[in-house]
Amino acid sequence: MSPWWKGCALWRRWRPMREIFVIALYIRISVEDEDSRDGIRDESNSISNQRDLLRRFVESSPEFENCEMIELCDDGFTGTSMERPSMQTLLQKARAKEIDCIIVKDFSRFGRDYITVSDYVDQIFPFLGIRFISVNDGYDSSQMRGKTSGVDIAFRNVIYSYYSKDISLKVRSGKQTKARKGKFLSAFAPIGYRKDEKDRNQLVVDTDSAGIVRRIFELAGAGMTVREITRLFNAEKVPTPSAIKNSQGYYHKWWVGVEGMELWSEEMVIRILRDERYLGKTVYGKRYRPQVGSRRTLKNRRADWIVVAERHEPLVSVPEFQRAQEHLAEYVERDVEQAGVYLFTDKLRCGHCGYSLTRLSRSKPHYQCRTRYRAAGFGCMEGSVKESEIASVVLAAIQAYIQTLMDEKEVLIKAGNSDILASLQKQVTAYQSACAKIDEQKAELYDAMADEKISREKYRREREKLSREQEDMARRAETAEAELTELRGKMDVSNQGEPKLMRYLQADTLTRQMVADFVDCIYVYNDKSIHIKWTFSEKGAKHESA
């Protein structure tokens, strides 16, 4: 009997070129699956349990025989938001019609926002011709016969939504109870401390970095400004808090400058000088999330903090701490606003130090590099550059680039771009094979020396000759591969659709979407020249000057 999907009208409409039925198994687990009282993970929702359940379901269904399975997993992400890495990959594959069926353990694994879940199950997936199965809920969209998922699913997801909020409150309550006992609850210990190996909720002094903290307080107490401390530490190449944590095996995502070092900033120094934990206190609840699942945090009132004194060895005395606070009066502590997305967000960097440029002013935005205030010797951009000036140059560069792409596309079409791509791929394969062959020749040469068929001196001469040939082949392979990557990138960009490219070509104003589509990064130099790194450049990144 032919599988149900072979006769489906939507299958014929959307999947005319692919015969393999692709199933996506989606798995999710998060802090919502922790028991807030005991700290024990709910095994029924563990990654391994969900995986076993879904695979058994597929393997026990004859209609799924010979189907292809892919697995997408979000570990540690709340179900109240769809902004999860694997979820976004799943939705992207769905829109690209690369999958035919999605299977989850239950609706809460897909999401806890019942409105969003219902939209996908009732409207989006049926339109895309994608079958949706929730195993424990007994739901299969192929059996709905055009009906919506109905009140049952809506009600079930309302319960999930309330459950998520309830669990969040329980987790928060459990943490507050621990905090009142003076337990340290942050993921990472502050610089100067480390977590006790026997009790992860207890801080002990870190001898490698405690001296840095004490020195910051001493310098501030002696009257040195935050900027002066920052410049001094950068001049002396004192390791930053992130660099220290990195050396201890705790890895974060941060940007290190092009010189291969991370710089101290005024914000780092201020954060240390204001941290009451250096008085031996534990501090909890300085910030909170206004909504369950939200990434945004807000400042709590001081009265709502949970502060417990004498919980660990202090690094500074109360008088030392107070003297430092007196010198921080000019630095007003403000709440961090939710970062907005502007025209060049995450796209502008200083061409000398590699750090992001700072955006100033909202009415007439301009950018400046603040590294020159923190460290000397980089030759960073002086003054500032207007956003409008960068925008006009980038717009002209993008339009010139589009015109070049369209011209090249015509040439490639006439020349047969598939033949060019095939030729380049053939070159890459040939050069790589030559490198592998030389490895075999080196091995044979060594065996000959070991069997005393050739002298050690001849072995060395022949091996050096082979090594030079291998290096040449490797360089040729790298060059051909870079050309292949660049050509594929250009074809991908030009295949976005000529109508879209034509709109960009005729645009009078640069938009954020244009920047996102074409620009990987823009480097601004001291003479206000800019270098654009296009998104298509992967290997041997090509910079266009303006």
Side-chain angles (χ1 to χ4, degrees):
M1 179 178 176
S2 178
W4 71 271
W5 44 270
K6 288 282 182 105
C8 178
L10 283 171
W11 165 262
R12 292 194 299 270
R13 176 184 173 189
W14 294 100
R15 306 299 198 282
M17 300 301 292
R18 178 155 52 80
E19 286 297 322
I20 299 177
F21 192 76
V22 180
I23 299 172
L25 308 181
Y26 180 73
I27 299 169
R28 182 186 66 81
I29 194 169
S30 76
V31 292
E32 295 153 356
D33 304 304
E34 296 283 351
D35 186 312
S36 62
R37 293 163 296 179
D38 304 319
I40 301 173
R41 185 179 288 274
D42 177 6
E43 266 309 308
S44 67
N45 280 327
S46 67
I47 296 296
S48 59
N49 180 276
Q50 290 184 61
R51 178 183 294 115
D52 293 343
L53 175 72
L54 299 184
R55 289 189 176 273
R56 283 199 305 270
F57 176 82
V58 172
E59 291 167 2
S60 63
S61 302
E63 63 181 314
F64 293 139
E65 188 178 355
N66 299 322
C67 290
E68 178 185 340
M69 278 192 293
I70 62 173
E71 181 182 300
L72 295 166
C73 175
D74 280 316
D75 192 349
F77 289 87
T78 178
T80 57
S81 170
M82 301 297 281
E83 295 300 320
R84 308 166 231 149
S86 290
M87 172 57 72
Q88 291 302 308
T89 300
L90 177 71
L91 298 180
Q92 183 179 356
K93 287 182 176 294
R95 288 190 292 267
K97 308 176 190 66
E98 296 176 2
I99 55 179
D100 304 289
C101 181
I102 298 171
I103 305 179
V104 296
K105 174 178 177 279
D106 54 51
F107 285 110
S108 71
R109 297 304 96 197
F110 186 77
R112 295 188 184 274
D113 179 347
Y114 79 94
I115 295 177
T116 302
V117 172
S118 295
D119 283 344
Y120 276 102
V121 174
D122 289 338
Q123 300 178 43
I124 299 174
F125 291 149
F127 175 76
L128 295 174
I130 295 175
R131 184 178 178 183
F132 188 90
I133 297 174
S134 176
V135 177
N136 281 1
D137 293 306
Y139 175 84
D140 186 340
S141 63
S142 70
Q143 299 172 3
M144 298 307 292
R145 302 184 184 280
K147 296 184 294 184
T148 62
S149 52
V151 177
D152 178 60
I153 291 177
F155 181 70
R156 195 188 305 272
N157 279 284
V158 168
I159 294 175
Y160 288 147
S161 181
Y162 278 111
Y163 170 76
S164 179
K165 290 179 173 62
D166 180 58
I167 288 295
S168 177
L169 291 173
K170 288 180 179 178
V171 170
R172 186 181 301 177
S173 176
K175 286 187 175 181
Q176 288 175 345
T177 300
K178 289 184 177 181
R180 291 190 181 94
K181 294 179 181 179
K183 300 288 186 181
F184 179 77
L185 301 177
S186 298
F188 299 102
I191 178 178
Y193 291 108
R194 57 181 174 80
K195 292 184 178 183
D196 191 335
E197 294 181 0
K198 297 179 180 179
D199 182 359
R200 306 300 290 174
N201 296 123
Q202 180 67 41
L203 292 178
V204 295
V205 174
D206 176 35
T207 55
D208 294 336
S209 58
I212 296 174
V213 175
R214 293 191 179 105
R215 188 182 178 202
I216 289 175
F217 277 94
E218 289 172 3
L219 294 173
M224 187 174 285
T225 66
V226 170
R227 181 168 291 181
E228 289 171 342
I229 296 173
T230 301
R231 291 183 66 86
L232 176 65
F233 275 30
N234 284 328
E236 295 179 353
K237 293 181 170 52
V238 176
T240 64
S242 290
I244 291 170
K245 293 300 178 187
N246 191 358
S247 67
Q248 295 174 343
Y250 302 104
Y251 294 95
H252 307 260
K253 288 183 179 180
W254 63 76
W255 171 258
V256 292
V258 291
E259 296 299 318
M261 61 177 286
E262 189 191 11
L263 297 177
W264 280 84
S265 66
E266 292 92 335
E267 292 77 11
M268 293 181 191
V269 177
I270 292 172
R271 196 178 303 123
I272 289 172
L273 290 174
R274 283 205 171 111
D275 197 336
E276 295 181 42
R277 292 176 295 184
Y278 295 119
L279 290 170
K281 303 177 181 179
T282 55
V283 182
Y284 177 81
K286 294 179 73 172
R287 303 189 72 83
Y288 71 96
R289 299 184 188 278
Q291 293 180 340
V292 176
S294 171
R295 295 184 180 181
R296 184 187 180 204
T297 62
L298 299 175
K299 276 178 58 177
N300 250 332
R301 297 177 304 166
R302 171 82 191 198
D304 293 329
W305 297 6
I306 299 176
V307 181
V308 182
E310 298 181 0
R311 284 298 303 154
H312 48 262
E313 181 181 340
L315 294 185
V316 296
S317 65
V318 174
E320 287 175 321
F321 190 85
Q322 291 300 331
R323 282 197 297 271
Q325 304 316 298
E326 293 171 5
H327 290 87
L328 285 177
E330 61 179 300
Y331 298 97
V332 180
E333 189 171 9
R334 298 184 178 90
D335 195 8
V336 179
E337 296 181 0
Q338 189 74 2
V341 178
Y342 302 104
L343 184 62
F344 294 115
T345 297
D346 296 329
K347 297 294 184 180
L348 285 180
R349 294 195 179 277
C350 174
H352 301 279
C353 70
Y355 280 84
S356 294
L357 298 185
T358 301
R359 188 179 192 269
L360 304 173
S361 178
R362 292 183 179 180
S363 57
K364 295 182 179 179
H366 55 281
Y367 291 84
Q368 67 173 209
C369 178
R370 302 193 62 81
T371 299
R372 60 194 177 96
Y373 298 118
R374 301 167 181 162
F378 285 99
C380 296
M381 179 184 73
E382 296 182 2
S384 62
V385 57
K386 295 179 181 178
E387 184 176 84
S388 58
E389 293 177 349
I390 301 177
S392 63
V393 175
V394 172
L395 175 61
I398 287 178
Q399 289 177 334
Y401 176 46
I402 291 174
Q403 189 61 61
T404 301
L405 277 178
M406 297 181 75
D407 293 343
E408 287 184 353
K409 183 178 181 180
E410 289 299 319
V411 173
L412 289 171
I413 290 174
K414 292 178 181 178
N417 57 69
S418 59
D419 294 338
I420 297 174
L421 290 172
S423 176
L424 285 171
Q425 183 61 64
K426 188 176 181 180
Q427 290 180 39
V428 171
T429 303
Y431 292 137
Q432 290 174 343
S433 298
C435 287
K437 182 66 176 178
I438 291 175
D439 281 331
E440 295 176 4
Q441 292 176 338
K442 285 181 177 179
E444 292 172 357
L445 195 65
Y446 178 83
D447 290 340
M449 181 194 69
D451 294 339
E452 298 183 350
K453 294 180 180 179
I454 60 173
S455 66
R456 183 176 295 273
E457 184 62 31
K458 184 175 182 180
Y459 166 75
R460 288 175 179 172
R461 287 199 308 270
E462 293 297 323
R463 181 179 174 81
E464 288 176 2
K465 181 181 178 182
L466 289 173
S467 295
R468 287 194 296 271
E469 292 178 8
Q470 193 173 41
E471 289 174 3
D472 181 55
M473 290 296 106
R475 280 194 298 270
R476 290 170 183 256
E478 186 176 352
T479 300
E481 194 167 2
E483 290 179 12
L484 182 63
T485 300
E486 183 174 337
L487 182 57
R488 282 174 174 166
K490 287 181 176 180
M491 292 303 297
D492 287 342
V493 172
S494 63
N495 287 333
Q496 288 182 17
E498 287 196 16
K500 183 178 182 180
L501 294 179
M502 288 302 297
R503 287 199 305 272
Y504 287 176
L505 194 59
Q506 297 167 3
D508 297 324
T509 306
L510 184 68
T511 65
R512 172 65 187 177
Q513 188 60 53
M514 293 168 70
V515 174
D517 284 346
F518 288 92
V519 177
D520 178 65
C521 193
I522 301 170
Y523 296 91
V524 184
Y525 290 84
N526 199 12
D527 59 359
K528 303 299 189 294
S529 65
I530 70 172
H531 287 242
I532 302 173
K533 179 182 176 183
W534 302 112
T535 52
F536 74 83
S537 298
E538 295 175 5
K539 292 189 176 181
K542 177 182 176 182
H543 291 70
E544 297 293 342
S545 303

